[in-house]
Amino acid sequence: MDEGWPIRTSGAAWMLAEPWRKPAAFGRAWCLNECFLTVRCEKKLELIMPPTEARDFEKSLVEDFNSRSCPKSTCKTPQRKRTRYVFSRPSGNPALVSWTVNQLVIGQLREWFAKTGRAALDRLPPGEREVSPLIVSLALLLRDQAMYDEARGLLEDALDAYTKLFGSEHENVATVLNNHLAAVLESQGKLEEAETLYRRAIEIGKVTLGENHPDLATWLNNLGVLLHDQGKLEEAEPLLRRALEIDEETLGPSHPEVATDLSNLAAFMSNQV
């Protein structure tokens, strides 16, 4: 029997996300199997919510998008035998299909999050939109989906708003430059433009944060790694070493950031051999 024929006939599938904080469907093997079939048939998968749930969800997106923007589906269910039966049918390998279903559903959910985040952002009042944490969080989600141009546009809007609100030498401006906008440019392969923004953020950070702040160490690391990737080794090394010094002094030698610094420096040194 062709399991996908109802989906191919209807052209889409809808999943009820209720309650939105922990949709019951995400824990049911048959529901996830239907999602898998929908994606495999190249049909549209839509999440729907009752109006009250939708309003509460959008409010949560605006207030704390980061905690909502990495959806995960699981195939775990008390009905173990049924789970094995459902996920053994497409390929005979339950573990492989379970993983595949999760990845496909997560991808669809992230697209849906981006769509919902855009709608929530568009409904914010003028002036509030550009300084809402949602604009940066949505941009980072879009970056992770390789939608770089849209992500860059949102971050540039945020940068303009922060500059007008706080001035061009503010820590928030530096954060958008370094942690977000430069990273998008780097992902696009626009390394020289990214380098310019990294350097500008570091200049601001030295004034606003001080010479020994852990955030400054992160920014030095970012620039050092970028220069390393560009083959500018003489410029990269002092930045990587300075980042390590700052983190060891401010965070302690056993901190995870120090481990990251050491890893970056080790990668640099390995290319010197």
Side-chain angles (χ1 to χ4, degrees):
M1 178 180 176
D2 181 6
E3 288 185 290
W5 75 264
I7 295 170
R8 274 192 286 272
T9 302
S10 64
W14 293 265
M15 177 181 280
L16 179 63
E18 184 184 21
W20 72 259
R21 294 180 185 276
K22 191 176 181 181
F26 290 179
R28 294 175 180 168
W30 282 106
C31 292
L32 293 176
N33 186 52
E34 292 300 315
C35 293
F36 170 74
L37 292 173
T38 302
V39 177
R40 190 177 68 176
C41 293
E42 299 182 346
K43 300 300 180 180
K44 187 176 182 181
L45 175 63
E46 284 283 356
L47 271 71
I48 57 175
M49 298 178 183
T52 54
E53 289 283 311
R55 287 192 293 270
D56 187 42
F57 178 68
E58 182 170 313
K59 182 175 182 290
S60 178
L61 283 183
V62 173
E63 294 176 352
D64 190 13
F65 186 87
N66 285 335
S67 68
R68 314 295 175 207
S69 60
C70 295
K72 298 179 181 179
S73 65
T74 63
C75 299
K76 296 179 181 178
T77 170
Q79 299 169 308
R80 299 288 183 183
K81 292 182 180 179
R82 177 173 292 183
T83 302
R84 286 195 293 271
Y85 173 67
V86 170
F87 291 134
S88 65
R89 296 171 77 185
S91 72
N93 186 333
L96 175 61
V97 177
S98 174
W99 181 87
T100 302
V101 169
N102 274 312
Q103 295 306 305
L104 290 174
V105 172
I106 288 170
Q108 290 287 301
L109 289 175
R110 284 178 173 158
E111 291 180 12
W112 182 79
F113 262 85
K115 175 183 174 182
T116 308
R118 289 187 193 98
L121 191 63
D122 289 342
R123 281 192 281 271
L124 290 176
E128 185 177 334
R129 172 188 180 276
E130 290 76 13
V131 295
S132 169
L134 175 59
I135 194 170
V136 172
S137 298
L138 176 58
L140 298 183
L141 177 62
L142 294 171
R143 181 197 67 185
D144 292 343
Q145 295 177 353
M147 302 176 73
Y148 300 123
D149 290 337
E150 187 177 357
R152 179 177 179 177
L154 291 175
L155 291 171
E156 287 175 343
D157 288 347
L159 180 62
D160 289 343
Y162 285 151
T163 301
K164 291 175 183 176
L165 185 63
F166 302 115
S168 60
E169 305 298 316
H170 195 273
E171 176 187 344
N172 288 353
V173 171
T175 298
V176 173
L177 285 171
N178 191 297
N179 293 2
H180 308 317
L181 187 52
V184 169
L185 291 170
E186 189 173 352
S187 297
Q188 289 182 293
K190 299 178 180 180
L191 303 187
E192 292 185 1
E193 292 182 57
E195 179 184 338
T196 299
L197 297 189
Y198 280 136
R199 291 188 184 279
R200 177 63 184 137
I202 289 170
E203 290 175 4
I204 297 171
K206 286 180 179 179
V207 175
T208 59
L209 300 175
E211 296 277 354
N212 295 297
H213 196 281
D215 285 351
L216 181 64
T218 298
W219 300 349
L220 290 168
N221 237 323
N222 290 344
L223 178 57
V225 171
L226 177 67
L227 293 171
H228 176 215
D229 292 343
Q230 290 178 292
K232 300 178 180 180
L233 304 184
E234 291 184 1
E235 295 180 67
E237 183 175 4
L239 296 174
L240 295 173
R241 291 190 180 280
R242 178 58 185 146
L244 176 61
E245 290 174 1
I246 294 172
D247 281 339
E248 284 183 328
E249 180 180 338
T250 58
L251 302 175
S254 300
H255 195 277
E257 288 296 327
V258 173
T260 299
D261 298 338
L262 289 169
S263 177
N264 289 336
L265 189 57
F268 171 84
M269 297 302 294
S270 68
N271 288 337
Q272 306 303 299
V273 179

